[in-house]
Amino acid sequence: MKRAVYPGSFDPVTYGHLDVIRRASEVFDVLIVSVLNNKGKTPLFSAEERVKILKEATKDLPNVQVDCFSGLLIDYARENNIHVAVRGLRAITDFEYELQLAQTNSKLSGGRLDTMFLATNLEYAYLSSSSVKEIASFGGDISQCVPDFVADMIYERYGIEKSQKTV
Ligand code: PNS
C-alpha cells in the first residue's frame, strides 16, 4: 500500500490545495491530509474546524483521510509509518522554502521521509490561504478561491453579511 501525507495549515483550504489533494490521491493508495495544529499561531479556524472542513471538501475522494498533527512532521510520519510527504509548488517563490523543508525533513528523519512535489495547476497558481483571508476580510469575492460552504464560513468568521460582499 503506497501511503503519503499531505501536511499543511489549510487555514482555509483553497481550490489550489484541493487540486493537489485530488491529483495526489490518484498517485497513492491512501493520502492522509494532515492539518498542523500550531499552538504558536492564532488561525482563523481551529484545527478541529479545519479537519471538519477538509473532510467535507474531500468526501468524494474515498482514499483520502483527514487528520491533524502537532510537533514535527517527521515524528508524525514515523508514528504513522509514512515515508512520503506531498507538497504543492505554485511558483519559484515557493521553491526555496519548500526545498529547505524537504531537505530538513530528509536529514532529520535519516532519509526515511521523502517529499514529492506537485506543480500547482496554473489556474490556482496565484491562490494562497492568506490572500483568501485578506480578500474576505474586506468583503471581496472569494468564490473562485474556495468552495461555497468554506466561503460562507470565512465571511461568517469575519462578521460579513451576505449583502456586504462585493460579489
Ligand atoms: O500550509 P503550510 O503552512 O505551508 O504548511 C507548512 C507545514 C505544516 C508543512 C510545515 O510547517 C510543517 O511540517 N510543520 C511542522 C513542524 C516541522 O516538522 N517542521 C519541519 C522542520 S523545520
Side-chain angles (χ1 to χ4, degrees), residues 40-121:
K41 270 193 184 174
T42 313
L44 185 62
F45 294 108
S46 69
E48 293 73 26
E49 288 171 318
R50 284 176 275 155
V51 166
K52 230 172 143 185
I53 291 170
L54 274 159
K55 280 188 176 164
E56 176 63 26
T58 60
K59 66 180 182 201
D60 296 334
L61 300 170
N63 62 335
V64 171
Q65 298 169 10
V66 184
D67 194 13
C68 72
F69 76 105
S70 48
L72 290 177
L73 179 64
I74 54 151
D75 292 334
Y76 175 79
R78 191 188 58 246
E79 283 155 18
N80 290 279
N81 199 23
I82 294 172
H83 303 282
V84 180
V86 172
R87 294 283 288 168
L89 277 180
R90 285 168 301 190
I92 194 75
T93 40
D94 282 342
F95 184 75
E96 219 170 309
Y97 167 70
E98 292 296 339
L99 183 67
Q100 190 185 31
L101 193 63
Q103 289 172 335
T104 304
N105 284 333
S106 175
K107 191 81 186 164
L108 279 179
S109 68
R112 278 185 281 274
L113 183 63
D114 235 319
T115 303
M116 273 186 56
F117 296 110
L118 284 182
T120 301
N121 189 315

